[in-house]
Amino acid sequence: MTDFSDRVEQVSISGIREVFEAAGEDAINLGLGQPDFPTPDHARRAAIEAIEAGDTDAYTSNKGTRELREAISAKHDRDNHFSVPPENLIATAGGSEALHIALEAHVDAADEVIFPDPGFVSYDALTRLAGGEPVPVGLREDLTLDPAAVEDALTDDTAAFVVNSPANPTGAVQTETDMREFARIADEHDVLCISDEVYEHIVFDGEHRSPMAYADSDNVVVVNACSKSYSMTGWRLGWVAASERRIERMLRVHQYAQACASAPAQFAAEAALSGPQDCVDEMVAAFEERRDVLLDGLADMGLETPTPSGAFYAMPKVPDGWVDEVIDRGVVVVPGEAFGDRGEGYARISYATDMAQIREALDVMAEATRAVR
């Protein structure tokens, strides 16, 4: 009889997706991790021009076009205080595939992978699909990941640990001191650090730093994408940056799973990364304004919310029954436990939507708060 793999039986449909499907068609969606801004015009035009010229009709190199990888390399020089040559980059089908091939290339059966809890839903699922053992680690009160907690969780079976800053679902931004410590842990313990930097440009307080800038070994792999910074979630264009030997192993997975990233998306991403960046600044300023309105509204309800320093999420502590009450009243939020056991008692609220909907949703959430207290 045909059966299913043990790996796939260990994962389920995302709790985020379940919330979306349970909500009504007219609901205000504060659950979606997708900017409500258009993709920059110069990125769209680059894709259109490439299509019309016939430049997107064939496979690109497995790693992606040379021009895109040069643009990514220049971006790291410009923004991140470290250099990665074009040869040490793979363009992927979004940050999701980049995470997938990083774990597949480095995790053996029963190897442990440490990641934040609450944390992005893919960390647990992709670890299981790679045959590994998830090791979720709780966060500080401000919802940042403590390097000491990561170091304490290391065992002889640890293959990797994941750092995500700015973070989904918390909006937390790790300090430079933390990032130096994560790099030290990777170096001293000879363990891989996977740094998920998809939200790197969406920072309101502090500054984004990468552990790759401080590592002495090649034990840091960076995952990134155009999805959030350039409002290109539908284009599915990400990348992974690493040493030559690590890239070669990840390419072995990528070439069979994907062959190459979408060619039109590669031309769009090259233009987004190389072109004017004022669109990013405008988007970040709008997110910060929305954040402040949301935090004020949650405070007025008496909900304690660690101040998110980046991304476009807030995670208030909420009373029992609050999430269901809010959803029943027509506002989609995601229960914290969808992001790990330690997310229980929280809710993730995305403010990647317009101010009018945020204000309307706050009125609904205030009513729900009064109803459950």
Side-chain angles (χ1 to χ4, degrees):
M1 183 178 70
T2 302
D3 209 343
F4 300 102
S5 71
D6 291 339
R7 293 186 304 280
V8 80
E9 290 298 320
Q10 290 185 59
V11 301
S12 58
I13 300 299
S14 163
I16 302 173
R17 182 58 50 195
E18 290 176 352
V19 168
F20 292 162
E21 291 177 354
E25 290 184 4
D26 298 328
I28 298 172
N29 194 339
L30 301 187
L32 195 61
Q34 174 169 284
D36 62 326
F37 295 86
T39 298
D41 283 343
H42 57 281
R44 290 178 174 181
R45 285 197 305 270
I48 291 169
E49 290 170 4
I51 292 168
E52 291 179 340
D55 294 336
T56 63
D57 295 346
Y59 295 120
T60 71
S61 162
N62 289 144
K63 289 183 178 180
T65 67
R66 177 75 188 190
E67 293 80 7
L68 170 59
R69 287 181 287 121
E70 287 175 347
I72 296 170
S73 179
K75 167 258 178 303
H76 284 303
D77 284 331
R78 179 184 72 217
D79 298 339
N80 300 120
H81 310 286
F82 63 81
S83 295
V84 180
E87 292 76 17
N88 289 4
L89 296 160
I90 301 173
T92 61
S96 299
E97 194 218 343
L99 278 170
H100 175 65
I101 66 174
L103 288 165
E104 286 286 348
H106 293 94
V107 176
D108 272 325
D111 279 355
E112 295 174 350
V113 177
I114 298 167
F115 52 81
D117 180 5
F120 183 41
V121 294
S122 290
Y123 303 148
D124 184 288
L126 291 177
T127 296
R128 295 179 188 276
L129 290 174
E133 295 291 334
V135 181
V137 171
L139 305 177
R140 297 165 170 143
E141 281 298 310
D142 65 356
L143 301 183
T144 57
L145 180 64
D146 188 347
V150 171
E151 195 162 24
D152 287 345
L154 295 175
T155 72
D156 291 341
D157 294 322
T158 304
F161 66 94
V162 179
V163 176
N164 178 210
S165 177
N168 177 9
T170 65
V173 174
Q174 302 288 152
T175 65
E176 180 181 357
T177 299
D178 285 345
M179 289 307 202
R180 288 183 180 275
E181 277 296 284
F182 291 132
R184 179 194 62 78
I185 291 167
D187 288 340
E188 290 187 6
H189 294 275
D190 195 24
V191 63
L192 185 69
C193 172
I194 299 175
S195 183
D196 180 349
E197 303 180 15
V198 168
Y199 294 87
E200 66 161 320
H201 289 301
I202 307 174
V203 177
F204 318 124
D205 308 308
E207 185 178 4
H208 169 71
R209 295 287 186 174
S210 172
M212 186 172 275
Y214 309 113
D216 294 325
S217 69
D218 75 340
N219 288 344
V220 177
V221 168
V222 169
V223 166
N224 210 326
C226 290
S227 299
K228 312 299 181 176
S229 295
Y230 299 101
S231 196
M232 293 177 65
T233 55
W235 294 82
R236 308 313 302 137
L237 198 290
W239 68 88
V240 61
S243 67
E244 180 180 0
R245 69 187 184 114
R246 295 193 187 281
I247 284 292
E248 197 275 337
R249 268 62 172 195
M250 288 185 279
L251 187 62
R252 297 181 192 183
V253 183
H254 171 73
Q255 67 178 345
Y256 293 115
Q258 195 65 30
C260 67
S262 160
Q266 291 188 52
F267 284 93
E270 178 194 342
L273 291 162
S274 303
Q277 302 296 299
D278 55 316
C279 54
V280 179
D281 297 335
E282 291 168 5
M283 187 167 60
V284 172
F287 285 144
E288 184 172 12
E289 183 180 3
R290 296 172 187 182
R291 177 200 68 166
D292 294 343
V293 168
L294 178 64
L295 291 179
D296 286 346
L298 295 173
D300 289 344
M301 296 173 214
L303 298 181
E304 180 184 345
T305 310
T307 299
S309 296
F312 38 71
Y313 309 107
M315 281 199 87
K317 294 181 180 179
V318 297
D320 288 345
W322 188 87
V323 170
D324 288 339
E325 189 73 27
V326 169
I327 292 174
D328 288 345
R329 292 170 183 265
V331 174
V332 177
V333 297
V334 182
E337 56 265 32
F339 304 96
D341 291 344
R342 293 177 179 89
E344 186 174 1
Y346 291 85
R348 190 192 76 170
I349 301 173
S350 169
Y351 45 92
T353 190
D354 65 76
M355 192 71 83
Q357 289 202 82
I358 291 172
R359 293 187 187 278
E360 184 179 350
L362 283 168
D363 290 339
V364 173
M365 288 188 278
E367 294 172 0
T369 303
R370 290 191 290 269
V372 299
R373 281 183 168 163

